[in-house]
Amino acid sequence: QLQLQESGPGLVKPSETLSLTCTVSGGSINSSSYYWGWIRQPPGKGLEWIGSIYYSGSTYYKTSLKSRVTISVDTSKNQFSLKLSSVTAADTAVYYCARRGRVIRIFDYWGQGSLVTVSS
Amino acid sequence: DIQMTQSPSSLSASVGDRVTITCRASQSISSYLNWFQQKPGKAPKLLIYGSSSLQSGVPSRFSGSGSGTDFTLTISSLQPEDFATYCCQQSYISPWTFGQGTKVEIK
């Protein structure tokens, strides 16, 4: 059974960089069939796709976040990571990592989510 | 970006009721519409993909329909475990966008 698990600091100061890692178990991230993505949900609000990465390292970001987002992959560790720079309180959210099929474009497996609060 | 609008934003229903939730896309997305269920403190769970295909393991009381811009999620007979928030998501074109959610509460 595929499992995804987010990890990283739960508190980040304004203007600093948010860093999260998603560890994939029960399956290989090194697959041409899937993209690996980050999605966030501010408290009490809807879901927002941040960006995705392919095992080859190709990345796709939401345009409005592109200048601040970096997603990378480490196939040797079966992990992918998110960095979001210059954070503000508006970046406070639960951050989810998820798998998306390349052909059937569905987010079918999700991590449990990691709450990141931006506060001094 | 494609905007996804759900209605209603919340509803109250009783166990056994038939429940219908609507999702509208700001432009045609063919049948690239997915539905998720989310319970408090949990990750979204995929229910329906491709507008009407039931994800493996999802009870058959859930069904989806629609194409183009208008879509519907139906729960034929609401069960206690179905009280949750439901959201739609388009997978037609990046950036992938979600509806704001419909909270189904106990009447």
Side-chain angles (χ1 to χ4, degrees), chain A residues 18-110:
Chain A
L18 178 159
S19 296
L20 291 171
T21 295
C22 182
T23 301
V24 179
S25 58
S28 176
I29 204 170
N30 199 19
S31 168
S32 60
S33 298
Y34 302 104
Y35 289 88
W36 306 91
W38 290 95
I39 295 157
R40 69 180 180 179
Q41 186 171 35
K45 296 187 178 180
L47 295 157
E48 178 185 32
W49 174 75
I50 299 169
S52 298
I53 191 164
Y54 200 45
Y55 77 103
S56 62
S58 298
T59 52
Y60 308 87
Y61 301 136
K62 183 173 182 177
T63 302
S64 61
L65 296 172
K66 192 173 184 178
S67 62
R68 299 195 293 131
V69 173
T70 302
I71 297 176
S72 58
V73 64
D74 187 336
T75 55
S76 67
K77 294 182 178 179
N78 228 30
Q79 294 176 335
F80 62 105
S81 299
L82 169 71
K83 291 188 185 298
L84 181 65
S85 64
S86 305
V87 296
T88 69
D91 295 309
T92 294
V94 175
Y95 286 77
Y96 295 100
C97 58
R99 184 184 84 168
R100 180 176 71 82
R102 186 177 66 84
V103 175
I104 301 178
R105 301 192 291 257
I106 56 174
F107 291 105
D108 58 353
Y109 282 92
W110 295 62

